Amino acid sequence: MSWALTPLTEEQREIQRVAREFAEREIAPHSAQWDRDQYFEPALVRQLGDLGFLGMMIPEVYDGLGLDTLTYLVALEEIATVDASVAVMLSVHNSLPTQMILKWGSDKQKECFLKPMARGELLGAFALSEPEAGSDAAALRTQAVRDGNDWILNGTKAWVSSGTKGEVILAMARTDTPDDRRGARGISAFIVTPDLPGFSVGKKEDKMGLRASPTVQLHFSDMRVPGDRLLGQIGSGFIYAMQSLDNGRLGIAAQAVGIAEAALRAAAAYAAERKQFGKPIKEFQAIQFRLADMATRVASSRALLHAAATAKDRGERITQFSSMAKLQASEAAMWVTTQAIQIFGGYGYVTDYPVERLFRDAKVTELYEGTSEIQRIVIAREMYSHT
Ligand code: COS
């Protein structure tokens, strides 16, 4: 049912096949249990690293595969179709910290962090949000103060995906002073590692969905960060984060398309086998129309996502396009998973079938890396920003 609306090259189809086979063989048998146990399988990071999937868009010179965005997203969708928790780990790592170091990192930072991240030896995480700075990300309060060549960081980051396992965390902190607040321009990006004195992992969230992906708070308490861990320019961290989220949102859109595709497939299969009133329920028009609408929303989400990815690969600004892709795909995923449960009836409401997990996993795609409301703000602002 997974139509390629954008014609894929032979290489793209091959990577899609590798992702699908890996997901079905190594992930699918465990997904339900990992979800129940809130278990993150560390061996997966190394296995995905061996396939090159932790360096998909990193050039070969930095030990990555050097693939384009569309190829990455096609593979990511395949993983998400099987397990959205594994997909978010891949999405964050490939879209945010690695791309930030690739774009703005020094040669030394690329050598020390980017290369091992591309090989899957170090897992990346991204720490922008704080308990009181979510949608209003520029209101973050974590403070960085210079001390000789080092920086001393104090504050709490929130909603950090892969937070308990993240080995290279791109953390945004204020480098302006209380007497000279500079808003978004007072924020810088730092490469933080868990071995720094003053770093600790705080509360692990007990989530509705994506339960196999650890989401935590991180505490920085007089955390001493060497000067060479500052990424790029002082005061540019918020801009870097926003530009990176343009990429990140494509990853979340691919995750949402994968979740919706899985729900569509499960519902279509169930409708063919479930009999009521003497015939398979797929023969009732009420079910056919529902499946048709689900398939249409999955296809249109995928088409928009692929169009945004190819625009990015052409070097175009994709701020509006990526927010559109995420908005469309995440709302479609929530709608499609809701319809899937309706087709399953009571069986959709219990854990014997995968659709209740897909429904729980879909919800977060409307929330993280910018809520649907934030995506609408970005889309609307972009309409006027170039006129
Ligand atoms: N690409 C490049 N630069 C960008 C940008 C983008 N996509 N978005 C904003 N910027 C720049 C602006 O151009 C501005 O730069 P200047 O100082 O040169 O003017 C600066 O960043 C501040 O932008 P802006 O004034 O638009 O900031 P706001 O505080 O109004 O915030 C929103 C804008 C709401 C879009 C932003 O806070 C946001 O995306 N919030 C959601 C955060 C999010 O997704 N969090 C999830 C984290 S992962 S769980």
Side-chain angles (χ1 to χ4, degrees):
M1 227 170 293
S2 179
W3 308 277
L5 297 152
T6 318
L8 298 180
T9 64
E10 207 162 300
E11 186 193 35
Q12 286 166 337
R13 279 202 307 273
E14 173 62 14
I15 290 183
Q16 184 181 43
R17 186 188 61 74
V18 170
R20 181 181 304 148
E21 287 178 5
F22 177 83
E24 281 169 2
R25 192 178 63 244
E26 303 292 336
I27 304 174
H30 311 289
S31 288
Q33 193 64 43
W34 289 344
D35 173 69
R36 271 195 288 282
D37 297 346
Q38 302 192 55
Y39 178 71
F40 176 97
E41 174 50 65
L44 267 185
V45 178
R46 309 302 167 227
Q47 285 175 291
L48 287 162
D50 289 344
L51 290 176
F53 281 16
L54 290 171
M56 296 191 95
M57 292 184 291
I58 299 173
E60 289 175 36
V61 61
Y62 299 118
D63 296 345
L65 292 184
L67 299 171
D68 62 13
T69 312
L70 180 59
T71 312
Y72 155 62
L73 294 173
V74 164
L76 188 57
E77 183 194 323
E78 290 297 331
I79 303 283
T81 303
V82 168
D83 192 316
S85 290
V86 178
V88 73
M89 177 266 283
L90 274 177
S91 175
V92 169
H93 177 96
N94 278 290
S95 304
L96 298 170
T98 50
Q99 291 300 306
M100 290 176 85
I101 299 175
L102 177 65
K103 257 194 187 155
W104 299 292
S106 65
D107 288 346
K108 186 177 168 204
Q109 290 168 344
K110 287 178 182 152
E111 195 61 37
C112 292
F113 299 110
L114 186 60
K115 282 186 170 181
M117 289 171 91
R119 295 193 296 264
E121 293 160 15
L122 295 175
L123 183 64
F126 177 77
L128 172 66
S129 302
E130 298 185 356
E132 290 175 62
S135 290
D136 186 5
L140 66 86
R141 290 201 223 154
T142 293
Q143 186 70 50
V145 176
R146 256 199 196 286
D147 185 36
N149 283 334
D150 299 341
W151 293 88
I152 306 295
L153 266 65
N154 278 289
T156 296
K157 307 307 284 186
W159 310 112
V160 183
S161 298
S162 309
T164 53
K165 307 291 164 190
E167 291 150 318
V168 180
I169 301 149
L170 264 289
M172 271 40 78
R174 306 213 71 84
T175 42
D176 56 5
T177 62
D179 303 338
D180 182 21
R181 285 293 178 218
R182 295 178 178 213
R185 288 284 175 174
I187 295 169
S188 303
F190 294 88
I191 302 175
V192 168
T193 49
D195 59 329
L196 294 174
F199 174 97
S200 63
V201 176
K203 179 183 174 219
K204 183 179 174 204
E205 306 296 346
D206 185 3
K207 307 196 298 292
M208 170 195 281
L210 285 197
R211 289 172 64 78
S213 158
T215 304
V216 295
Q217 290 193 348
L218 298 178
H219 299 300
F220 305 155
S221 174
D222 286 332
M223 182 174 72
R224 184 169 287 276
V225 181
D228 61 7
R229 296 284 190 88
L230 175 77
L231 186 86
Q233 304 293 316
I234 292 184
S236 293
F238 186 78
I239 315 276
Y240 298 163
M242 288 299 113
Q243 258 182 263
S244 305
L245 282 169
D246 288 350
N247 301 330
R249 288 167 183 163
L250 296 181
I252 302 308
Q255 180 196 33
V257 172
I259 294 169
E261 172 71 30
L264 172 61
R265 284 185 205 166
Y270 184 77
E273 87 198 15
R274 171 74 171 167
K275 288 198 179 108
Q276 290 291 279
F277 304 102
K279 55 185 177 181
I281 60 170
K282 78 173 167 58
E283 290 178 22
F284 293 99
Q285 208 172 47
I287 300 292
Q288 290 167 3
F289 280 13
R290 211 181 278 275
L291 286 169
D293 287 346
M294 291 161 73
T296 304
R297 292 198 198 196
V298 174
S300 53
S301 302
R302 186 181 289 120
L304 186 55
L305 174 63
H306 287 193
T310 46
K312 175 169 177 283
D313 288 331
R314 285 194 303 269
E316 293 169 21
R317 180 182 163 94
I318 53 142
T319 301
Q320 188 185 46
F321 227 161
S322 83
S323 283
M324 285 178 172
K326 180 183 182 281
L327 176 65
Q328 161 70 23
S330 58
E331 294 195 342
M334 199 63 239
W335 190 85
V336 167
T337 53
T338 306
Q339 303 313 309
I341 291 182
Q342 199 65 27
I343 290 173
F344 273 80
Y347 289 108
Y349 200 62
V350 293
T351 56
D352 298 4
Y353 289 95
V355 285
E356 62 83 31
R357 174 162 57 90
L358 295 168
F359 174 87
R360 289 186 285 107
D361 287 350
K363 184 61 208 173
V364 76
T365 65
E366 294 182 321
L367 303 175
Y368 65 5
E369 297 205 17
T371 60
S372 296
E373 290 73 17
I374 289 294
Q375 307 313 324
R376 289 185 167 91
I377 287 172
V378 172
I379 294 163
R381 277 189 189 181
E382 288 287 308
M383 288 178 192
Y384 297 102
S385 66
H386 305 294
T387 52

